[in-house]
Amino acid sequence: MSGHATSLRLKLPAICFLLQLLTIILFAVYVRYDEETSANLWHQKLRHHNGSNLDNDFYFRYPSFQDVHTMIFIGFGFLMTFLKRYGFSSVAFNFLIAAFAIQWSTLIQGFLHSFHNGKIHVGIESMINADFCSGAILISFGAVLGKTSPVQLLLMTLLEVTLFGINEYILLILLCYQAKDAGGSMTIHTFGAYFGLTVSRLLYRPHLNKSRQREGSVYHSDLFAMIGTIYLWLFWPSFNSAVTAHGDDQHRTVLNTYFSLAASTLATFAISSLINGEGKLDMVHIQNAALAGGVVVGTSAEMMLTPFGAMIAGFLAGTISTLGFKFITPILDSKLKIQDTCGVHNLHGLPGVLGALLGALVAGLATQDVYGDGLPITLKYWPQPLPKGGTLFIPPPVYFPPGGILKMSFLASPPDTQCFEDQIYWEVRLDLGTL
Amino acid sequence: MSGHATSLRLKLPAICFLLQLLTIILFAVYVRYDEETSANLWHQKLRHHNGSNLDNDFYFRYPSFQDVHTMIFIGFGFLMTFLKRYGFSSVAFNFLIAAFAIQWSTLIQGFLHSFHNGKIHVGIESMINADFCSGAILISFGAVLGKTSPVQLLLMTLLEVTLFGINEYILLILLCYQAKDAGGSMTIHTFGAYFGLTVSRLLYRPHLNKSRQREGSVYHSDLFAMIGTIYLWLFWPSFNSAVTAHGDDQHRTVLNTYFSLAASTLATFAISSLINGEGKLDMVHIQNAALAGGVVVGTSAEMMLTPFGAMIAGFLAGTISTLGFKFITPILDSKLKIQDTCGVHNLHGLPGVLGALLGALVAGLATQDVYGDGLPITLKYWPQPLPKGGTLFIPPPVYFPPGGILKMSFLASPPDTQCFEDQIYWEVRLDLGTL
Amino acid sequence: MSGHATSLRLKLPAICFLLQLLTIILFAVYVRYDEETSANLWHQKLRHHNGSNLDNDFYFRYPSFQDVHTMIFIGFGFLMTFLKRYGFSSVAFNFLIAAFAIQWSTLIQGFLHSFHNGKIHVGIESMINADFCSGAILISFGAVLGKTSPVQLLLMTLLEVTLFGINEYILLILLCYQAKDAGGSMTIHTFGAYFGLTVSRLLYRPHLNKSRQREGSVYHSDLFAMIGTIYLWLFWPSFNSAVTAHGDDQHRTVLNTYFSLAASTLATFAISSLINGEGKLDMVHIQNAALAGGVVVGTSAEMMLTPFGAMIAGFLAGTISTLGFKFITPILDSKLKIQDTCGVHNLHGLPGVLGALLGALVAGLATQDVYGDGLPITLKYWPQPLPKGGTLFIPPPVYFPPGGILKMSFLASPPDTQCFEDQIYWEVRLDLGTL
């Protein structure tokens, strides 16, 4: 019976306990406070450098971190509540997998990027990077939304976080020595989107039409989704700037992202009403494409992109993203058998690729005249812009083996008739039949 | 047919493209990174002053900016979702016009306030000021909510942002040399309210009763509106302090606003239950009048208002605002032909005027004894408090010509029978008939 | 008639006016700007110490304050909107009592903790502490939610804030000289929970079954509640660190709380599905027990708890809290006549007690080797961990006399047939009968 097969009773506790136990053991062995969070090390540092407690990086990164944190848990979580009967699962599975992803990615990123003397040292920067990685996982979640159990999602998180770390390592360390992608156009958005689309392809459901009547929104669910949209939009400047260099870099990243987002919003409203037969606006576009301005400057916002350059980028991204929802999503489904519930290809995939190319372009145009003394700081990381743009398309086939694991039959996946439905995983007090 | 006349198909794309294109061109010609966002200029400054990247004003203004940003897009946006069938338009048109207003006001305020060597220089302060200006636009939006198309609203934004800049220039530069109104009791709230009321008067609809059945709330729409209310209330201390001087000024502004808001909340609950025939509370009052404590100290919160002075101001503002909803709004409608959908006269108009008078009073009472060395910094800007109070009432007639432009017939305005209705501008998936 | 007895018409205005008037008078006599908010004092300090305006503590505490402020008004307010017909009262009474609590606790905490030369000096730290105290009141509100009028709640706030100050004074000053409990495991969570449960016991309603049909959620009300949950979860690191010492202390508190919350989230999902007969998840658990990780490290997060230690604590707290909802809440009701609407015993009571014991344990294990120069700063406040753990259980009987005052018959309390019902206190525009 489908009721039995989707029961979480033993499966979800088992995977939660195992993953949390494994994490705790690895943390006990490998994870330590860093120089800014350890009582001992920080006070040594203060003594040796005659420093002040107010120099602790906490004061210069924590507000940005909290904005990113809000994007991950409120922004992504509520953005996905647009489905009429899947609000509990959207916001709560988002909560669950992000809560695991931040723990697991602290380990994976620690092993790959900051493993010194056999230990991983944690503090505000590791927290931001862990939240960033969970953003990629949630993008992938958007592609498979409504068609996966929380057991599958936790397993996907385990695998994807690991691949995210490896992909980042290859892209930023091996291929382009010390390249940076602060807002993650490539490492977060492009990776998260194409990983999610690959998984969605592997889990292709030929009979999804049996659940299509639940794959839309109702009036109030679209308003809940707007909470997610607006928070993502508001805090995207913090997302792109959270780990850029202190000073003008962080300040400029915020400014560029702010203008890019404003322009992508106007583009989205324009294109949404233009492509609608009756001259009406579509909430799906506003909820998603207006954010493309944040994605597209993820790589380049820390550079001297200029405010009008940011606006042009944002306007193009909003346009392309809205067109994608109208014209590309149906083709992905019918021709490529990729069922992309939230349209992550339009919001994160296309604008992410565009953002990587833009980053390469702006890096290529950098001159000493424009950057002054700021040049070495900003651009020493950009020696090989073109290969970097090129590496974007390598990963997807690599995702097949891990993605395939998610097809295993005992993972409480919903049947084709019960997709986009909270009642199979939740005690729902109101009969939802009327929605 | 009304369906045809309200189609956004060509009109909305046309105005969005034109405005965004114009903005991009003007930005390309005039807008440059300022000393704190330009790689070149910032590193020059660091070299010449032996400074640190952590001295960048980003770290001291950005958290305040993000609070203001949240008020503009979440606060105003959700506050207006109280209407039962106008939630999409409320939050999304708010989003659209604010996204344009922040771009356009960067130009207008730049030309009028910070035009140096033929260029406008942008950074965190220009971002805060642009958000402030968009606050005034959204106040006006509240007055005409449900009765205007997005095309009209973008045109209104274009005109009002321009007038906002001129009004601010006249008030703060010409009339009162270097006067300041950090929290905008005058420049934002009073201006925004009376501009909006003027536009509402010009667009007077004698047959609005055909849409009155939709001019109320339903249970869940009032809860969405409370998201807006609470965020506005929480972050008002940041709004009033975002551009005040660093140090005690900013700190004191926050503290005064916090106490004023707390007192206006108690006043609102008290008066709301007092004036209701059955002794019940009214959500409209709680959603709006509780915020009057923030408006009323907009000018004076940076002064030595004293905590109990802030409480008295807040208590009076909450009282007057609640009474205004009960007794003045119906008179404005029936006698003056001003249909004020959100009651902005009660939340922003009256408390704004009161706040200007309070600012003049507290400035007049300032002594060296109370301010010490802080006197010149705080009060050199307040040499002519009374004329400033007096200028409040000059603007409204000036708004007639620009407001009149909005009456043009091809702007996709809703017919009298279709006001407060999302379905004319939006693809609405659920039949809203039952709400 | 019950309609008459619950009318707020004279009672609510009377108590609001009296309390606000009393507060304003006491503020006028006793409350002054502190050294960082007074123009005079701050500029004296700058002159004497050659300081900078950017050293004002505003810049190092205000972002944390705003996070706490959001938890109090959005977090607690929306968490309690889960009831199907009590959303207005939940978010708005939360608003009212917190607005009064922050004023009254500024006075009480000022008299007991920072009364110098006959004056209370206020600034960002007093604001944070006032918000903390209001958190305890809102925890108690959760226990009596739906069964009390706003008049009763304001009276409860008056009494509880006063007792909160005395309890904190006894616990942290008298019993354990200079003990600290920065995140309030004891002073806020344990106190708030047991005070609320005591009041709920005193107001026991034997015929509450007449209102039980309204004591549940509907689909959308559970989503509103998740807004509250997620914001509480996101900003709990700021709550626990808001008043810890600057530098590594604040940074480490944030990090430990972040990991503890992540682990308690996995535990909650695991146990929720394990104890449900059909293997489904329960929104009540996710909304509440996932937060237990924040409560449990309230005392110990500033210590060298280690990241994996924080995870173990969070995992245990999430487990115990979820089990409490399933097994203890029904027993409290049936055996002890304690009707705990929100289950505050499970979220704040049990994890608070556990957190106090954990604090004593971690303090007892502290060594010079682990803390280095940071030891005196962190641990000089922890000389008597065990008595402190023991004082937890002293207060409840003390709450009886003040709690009993709330039983007075003229306080507009709802009848047993009208509990959990907005319509007795609110103008409700939609007939709620169908919910």
Side-chain angles (χ1 to χ4, degrees):
Chain A
M1 308 293 86
S2 73
H4 184 258
T6 60
S7 168
L8 303 173
R9 182 136 198 198
L10 296 178
K11 296 165 188 171
L12 188 59
I15 191 168
C16 285
F17 281 127
L18 278 175
L19 293 178
Q20 190 62 63
L21 186 66
L22 177 63
T23 304
I24 287 174
I25 292 171
L26 290 172
F27 263 67
V29 177
Y30 293 113
V31 177
R32 298 292 178 269
Y33 294 121
D34 72 9
E35 202 177 25
E36 311 230 329
T37 48
S38 157
N40 193 351
L41 299 179
W42 175 253
H43 285 273
Q44 272 182 32
K45 189 175 173 182
L46 282 188
R47 204 177 48 223
H48 293 155
H49 295 81
N50 240 330
S52 151
N53 272 316
L54 300 180
D55 299 334
N56 195 295
D57 208 27
F58 174 75
Y59 301 102
F60 303 94
R61 298 266 182 218
Y62 187 60
S64 306
F65 163 75
Q66 276 295 8
D67 291 352
V68 172
H69 213 38
T70 303
M71 292 173 74
I72 297 300
F73 289 86
I74 289 281
F76 282 104
F78 277 90
L79 181 60
M80 293 190 267
T81 59
F82 73 99
L83 290 171
K84 65 178 86 166
R85 288 165 74 117
Y86 206 65
F88 289 9
S89 300
S90 295
V91 71
F93 294 168
N94 184 92
F95 186 23
L96 173 65
I97 62 183
F100 173 60
I102 57 182
Q103 300 180 58
W104 191 247
S105 67
T106 301
L107 287 168
I108 297 295
Q109 296 189 332
F111 285 128
L112 291 170
H113 297 299
S114 58
F115 200 61
H116 303 301
N117 300 322
K119 300 293 174 199
I120 295 164
H121 293 91
V122 292
I124 191 69
E125 282 215 43
S126 75
M127 289 166 71
I128 295 171
N129 283 317
D131 266 53
F132 274 2
C133 174
S134 73
I137 314 307
L138 299 175
I139 291 166
S140 304
F141 176 38
V144 299
L145 188 75
K147 301 169 296 187
T148 39
S149 76
V151 182
Q152 285 177 295
L153 292 169
L154 281 173
L155 207 52
M156 183 183 89
T157 304
L158 179 75
L159 298 166
E160 186 176 355
V161 166
T162 311
L163 274 173
F164 175 93
I166 295 170
N167 181 61
E168 201 182 33
Y169 183 76
I170 294 172
L171 196 60
L172 302 187
I173 310 289
L174 295 190
L175 289 183
C176 316
Y177 178 66
Q178 291 258 315
K180 264 188 118 174
D181 181 22
S185 285
M186 294 171 283
T187 52
I188 300 168
H189 300 290
T190 312
F191 173 80
Y194 289 103
F195 185 92
L197 295 170
T198 307
V199 172
S200 191
R201 175 67 189 80
L202 291 168
L203 301 179
Y204 178 68
R205 289 171 180 271
H207 304 297
L208 192 60
N209 59 330
K210 291 177 183 168
S211 290
R212 290 284 185 200
Q213 77 281 9
R214 284 187 300 270
E215 204 187 356
S217 61
V218 288
Y219 195 63
H220 283 124
S221 70
D222 268 328
L223 281 175
F224 279 114
M226 281 302 285
I227 298 174
T229 296
I230 302 282
Y231 271 108
L232 287 169
W233 194 92
L234 287 175
F235 292 160
W236 217 294
S238 303
F239 190 92
N240 284 349
S241 68
V243 295
T244 53
H246 284 313
D248 64 301
D249 275 41
Q250 238 179 334
H251 200 157
R252 183 170 58 250
T253 309
V254 157
L255 188 70
N256 288 332
T257 310
Y258 172 82
F259 286 126
S260 177
L261 285 162
S264 72
T265 304
L266 266 79
T268 301
F269 276 83
I271 305 295
S272 180
S273 53
L274 187 66
I275 60 182
N276 178 284
E278 301 176 78
K280 293 183 179 183
L281 292 159
D282 192 325
M283 262 293 174
V284 170
H285 303 155
I286 310 305
Q287 282 160 7
N288 290 279
L291 302 169
V295 177
V296 77
V297 296
T299 308
S300 58
E302 63 179 310
M303 305 182 208
M304 291 289 282
L305 178 59
T306 75
F308 84 95
M311 284 174 175
I312 294 173
F315 197 80
L316 288 177
T319 302
I320 288 170
S321 184
T322 312
L323 293 172
F325 276 94
K326 178 81 173 181
F327 301 109
I328 300 178
T329 297
I331 293 174
L332 287 184
D333 190 344
S334 61
K335 305 286 187 217
L336 300 180
K337 299 186 176 175
I338 298 173
Q339 294 155 331
D340 179 6
T341 309
C342 292
V344 301
H345 185 251
N346 311 305
L347 171 49
H348 302 279
L350 288 178
V353 173
L354 199 63
L357 297 174
L358 180 65
L361 176 71
V362 180
L365 294 174
T367 64
Q368 177 77 38
D369 191 42
V370 170
Y371 288 81
D373 287 2
L375 183 66
I377 289 170
T378 309
L379 283 195
K380 70 179 176 192
Y381 305 122
W382 293 92
Q384 297 158 293
L386 288 176
K388 190 165 57 258
T391 59
L392 287 167
F393 307 99
I394 297 175
V398 180
Y399 314 153
F400 273 79
I405 293 172
L406 305 177
K407 294 185 74 172
M408 292 183 299
S409 61
F410 55 89
L411 298 178
S413 180
D416 288 359
T417 52
Q418 294 288 313
C419 288
F420 316 117
E421 174 61 62
D422 270 341
Q423 296 199 71
I424 52 172
Y425 298 127
W426 294 91
E427 287 286 343
V428 179
R429 286 167 188 78
L430 175 71
D431 182 79
L432 282 171
T434 57
L435 292 183
Chain B
M1 307 295 89
S2 73
H4 185 257
T6 60
S7 169
L8 304 173
R9 181 135 198 200
L10 297 177
K11 295 165 188 172
L12 187 59
I15 191 167
C16 285
F17 281 127
L18 279 175
L19 292 178
Q20 190 63 62
L21 187 65
L22 177 63
T23 303
I24 288 174
I25 292 170
L26 291 172
F27 263 67
V29 178
Y30 293 113
V31 177
R32 298 293 177 269
Y33 293 121
D34 72 9
E35 202 177 26
E36 310 231 328
T37 49
S38 157
N40 194 350
L41 299 178
W42 175 254
H43 285 273
Q44 273 181 33
K45 189 175 173 182
L46 281 190
R47 203 177 49 223
H48 293 157
H49 295 81
N50 239 330
S52 152
N53 272 317
L54 300 180
D55 299 334
N56 196 294
D57 208 27
F58 174 74
Y59 301 102
F60 302 95
R61 298 267 182 217
Y62 187 59
S64 305
F65 163 75
Q66 276 296 7
D67 291 351
V68 172
H69 213 38
T70 302
M71 291 174 73
I72 297 300
F73 290 87
I74 290 281
F76 283 104
F78 277 90
L79 181 60
M80 294 191 267
T81 59
F82 74 98
L83 290 171
K84 65 178 86 166
R85 289 165 73 119
Y86 206 64
F88 289 9
S89 300
S90 295
V91 71
F93 294 168
N94 183 90
F95 186 22
L96 173 64
I97 63 184
F100 173 59
I102 58 181
Q103 299 180 60
W104 192 247
S105 66
T106 301
L107 287 168
I108 298 294
Q109 297 189 331
F111 285 128
L112 291 170
H113 295 300
S114 58
F115 199 61
H116 302 302
N117 302 320
K119 300 294 174 200
I120 295 164
H121 292 90
V122 291
I124 190 71
E125 281 215 43
S126 75
M127 290 166 70
I128 295 172
N129 283 316
D131 267 53
F132 274 2
C133 174
S134 72
I137 315 307
L138 299 175
I139 291 166
S140 304
F141 176 38
V144 300
L145 188 76
K147 300 169 297 187
T148 39
S149 76
V151 182
Q152 284 176 297
L153 292 169
L154 280 172
L155 207 53
M156 182 183 90
T157 304
L158 181 75
L159 299 165
E160 185 176 356
V161 167
T162 312
L163 274 172
F164 175 93
I166 295 171
N167 181 61
E168 201 182 36
Y169 184 75
I170 294 172
L171 196 61
L172 303 188
I173 311 289
L174 296 190
L175 288 183
C176 316
Y177 177 67
Q178 292 259 313
K180 265 189 118 173
D181 181 22
S185 285
M186 294 171 284
T187 53
I188 300 169
H189 299 289
T190 311
F191 173 80
Y194 288 102
F195 185 92
L197 295 170
T198 308
V199 171
S200 191
R201 174 67 189 79
L202 291 168
L203 301 178
Y204 179 67
R205 290 170 179 271
H207 304 298
L208 192 61
N209 60 329
K210 291 177 182 168
S211 289
R212 290 285 186 200
Q213 78 280 10
R214 283 187 301 270
E215 204 186 355
S217 61
V218 287
Y219 195 63
H220 283 122
S221 70
D222 269 326
L223 281 176
F224 278 114
M226 280 303 285
I227 298 173
T229 296
I230 302 283
Y231 271 107
L232 288 169
W233 194 91
L234 286 175
F235 291 160
W236 218 295
S238 302
F239 190 92
N240 285 349
S241 67
V243 295
T244 53
H246 283 313
D248 64 302
D249 275 41
Q250 236 177 336
H251 200 156
R252 185 170 56 250
T253 310
V254 157
L255 188 69
N256 287 332
T257 309
Y258 172 82
F259 285 126
S260 177
L261 285 162
S264 72
T265 304
L266 266 78
T268 302
F269 276 83
I271 305 295
S272 181
S273 53
L274 186 66
I275 61 183
N276 178 283
E278 301 176 80
K280 293 184 180 183
L281 292 159
D282 192 325
M283 262 292 175
V284 170
H285 303 155
I286 310 305
Q287 283 159 6
N288 291 279
L291 301 169
V295 177
V296 78
V297 296
T299 308
S300 58
E302 63 179 310
M303 306 184 210
M304 291 290 282
L305 177 59
T306 75
F308 85 95
M311 285 176 175
I312 294 173
F315 197 80
L316 287 177
T319 301
I320 288 170
S321 184
T322 312
L323 293 172
F325 275 95
K326 177 82 172 182
F327 301 109
I328 301 178
T329 297
I331 294 175
L332 287 184
D333 189 344
S334 61
K335 305 286 187 216
L336 300 180
K337 298 185 176 177
I338 297 173
Q339 293 155 332
D340 179 6
T341 310
C342 293
V344 301
H345 185 250
N346 311 306
L347 171 49
H348 302 280
L350 289 178
V353 172
L354 198 63
L357 298 174
L358 179 65
L361 176 70
V362 181
L365 294 174
T367 63
Q368 178 75 39
D369 190 43
V370 170
Y371 287 82
D373 287 1
L375 184 65
I377 290 172
T378 309
L379 282 195
K380 70 182 176 190
Y381 304 122
W382 292 92
Q384 296 160 293
L386 287 176
K388 191 164 55 260
T391 60
L392 285 167
F393 307 99
I394 296 174
V398 180
Y399 315 152
F400 272 78
I405 294 172
L406 305 178
K407 295 185 73 172
M408 293 184 299
S409 62
F410 55 90
L411 298 178
S413 180
D416 288 359
T417 54
Q418 293 290 311
C419 288
F420 316 117
E421 174 60 62
D422 270 341
Q423 295 198 73
I424 54 173
Y425 298 128
W426 294 92
E427 287 286 344
V428 179
R429 285 167 188 79
L430 175 71
D431 183 80
L432 282 172
T434 56
L435 291 184
Chain C
M1 311 304 90
S2 74
H4 184 259
T6 60
S7 169
L8 304 173
R9 183 136 197 197
L10 296 178
K11 296 165 187 170
L12 187 59
I15 192 168
C16 286
F17 281 128
L18 279 175
L19 292 179
Q20 190 63 62
L21 186 67
L22 176 63
T23 304
I24 288 174
I25 292 170
L26 291 172
F27 264 66
V29 178
Y30 294 112
V31 176
R32 298 293 177 269
Y33 293 122
D34 73 9
E35 202 176 28
E36 310 233 327
T37 49
S38 156
N40 194 351
L41 300 178
W42 176 253
H43 286 273
Q44 273 182 32
K45 188 176 175 184
L46 282 189
R47 204 176 49 224
H48 293 157
H49 294 80
N50 241 330
S52 151
N53 272 317
L54 300 180
D55 299 333
N56 195 295
D57 207 28
F58 175 75
Y59 301 102
F60 303 94
R61 297 266 183 217
Y62 187 58
S64 304
F65 164 75
Q66 276 294 8
D67 291 351
V68 172
H69 213 38
T70 303
M71 291 173 74
I72 297 301
F73 289 87
I74 289 281
F76 282 104
F78 277 90
L79 181 60
M80 292 191 267
T81 60
F82 75 98
L83 289 171
K84 65 178 86 168
R85 290 166 73 118
Y86 207 65
F88 289 9
S89 300
S90 295
V91 71
F93 294 168
N94 184 90
F95 187 22
L96 172 65
I97 63 182
F100 173 60
I102 58 182
Q103 300 179 58
W104 191 247
S105 67
T106 301
L107 287 167
I108 298 295
Q109 297 190 331
F111 286 129
L112 291 171
H113 296 299
S114 58
F115 200 62
H116 302 302
N117 301 321
K119 301 293 174 199
I120 295 165
H121 292 91
V122 290
I124 190 70
E125 281 214 45
S126 75
M127 289 166 70
I128 295 171
N129 283 316
D131 267 53
F132 274 2
C133 174
S134 72
I137 314 308
L138 299 175
I139 292 166
S140 303
F141 177 38
V144 299
L145 188 76
K147 301 169 297 188
T148 39
S149 76
V151 181
Q152 285 177 294
L153 291 169
L154 281 172
L155 206 54
M156 182 184 89
T157 304
L158 179 75
L159 299 167
E160 186 177 354
V161 166
T162 311
L163 274 173
F164 175 93
I166 295 170
N167 181 61
E168 201 183 36
Y169 184 75
I170 294 172
L171 196 59
L172 302 187
I173 311 290
L174 296 191
L175 287 183
C176 315
Y177 177 66
Q178 292 258 315
K180 264 188 119 173
D181 180 22
S185 285
M186 294 171 283
T187 52
I188 301 169
H189 299 289
T190 311
F191 173 80
Y194 288 103
F195 184 93
L197 295 170
T198 308
V199 171
S200 191
R201 175 66 190 81
L202 291 168
L203 302 178
Y204 178 67
R205 290 171 179 272
H207 304 298
L208 192 61
N209 60 328
K210 291 177 182 166
S211 289
R212 289 285 185 199
Q213 79 280 9
R214 283 187 301 270
E215 204 186 354
S217 61
V218 288
Y219 195 63
H220 283 123
S221 70
D222 268 327
L223 281 175
F224 278 114
M226 280 303 284
I227 298 173
T229 296
I230 302 283
Y231 271 108
L232 288 169
W233 195 91
L234 286 175
F235 292 160
W236 217 294
S238 302
F239 190 92
N240 284 349
S241 67
V243 294
T244 52
H246 283 313
D248 63 301
D249 276 40
Q250 237 177 335
H251 200 157
R252 185 172 54 251
T253 309
V254 157
L255 188 70
N256 287 332
T257 310
Y258 172 83
F259 285 126
S260 177
L261 285 161
S264 72
T265 304
L266 266 78
T268 302
F269 276 83
I271 305 296
S272 181
S273 54
L274 186 66
I275 60 182
N276 178 284
E278 300 177 79
K280 294 184 179 182
L281 292 159
D282 192 325
M283 263 293 176
V284 170
H285 303 156
I286 310 305
Q287 284 159 5
N288 291 279
L291 301 168
V295 177
V296 78
V297 295
T299 308
S300 58
E302 62 179 311
M303 306 182 209
M304 291 290 282
L305 178 59
T306 74
F308 84 95
M311 284 174 176
I312 294 173
F315 196 81
L316 287 177
T319 301
I320 288 169
S321 183
T322 312
L323 292 172
F325 276 95
K326 178 80 172 182
F327 301 109
I328 300 178
T329 296
I331 293 175
L332 287 183
D333 190 344
S334 61
K335 306 285 188 218
L336 300 181
K337 299 186 176 177
I338 297 173
Q339 293 155 333
D340 179 6
T341 309
C342 292
V344 302
H345 185 251
N346 310 305
L347 172 49
H348 302 280
L350 288 179
V353 172
L354 198 63
L357 298 174
L358 180 64
L361 175 70
V362 181
L365 293 174
T367 64
Q368 177 77 36
D369 190 42
V370 170
Y371 288 82
D373 287 2
L375 182 67
I377 291 172
T378 309
L379 283 195
K380 69 180 177 192
Y381 305 122
W382 293 91
Q384 296 159 294
L386 287 175
K388 189 164 58 261
T391 59
L392 285 166
F393 307 99
I394 295 175
V398 180
Y399 315 153
F400 273 78
I405 294 172
L406 305 178
K407 294 186 74 171
M408 292 184 299
S409 62
F410 56 89
L411 298 177
S413 179
D416 288 359
T417 54
Q418 293 289 312
C419 288
F420 317 116
E421 173 61 61
D422 270 341
Q423 295 198 75
I424 53 172
Y425 298 127
W426 294 91
E427 287 285 343
V428 179
R429 286 166 188 79
L430 176 70
D431 183 78
L432 282 172
T434 56
L435 291 184

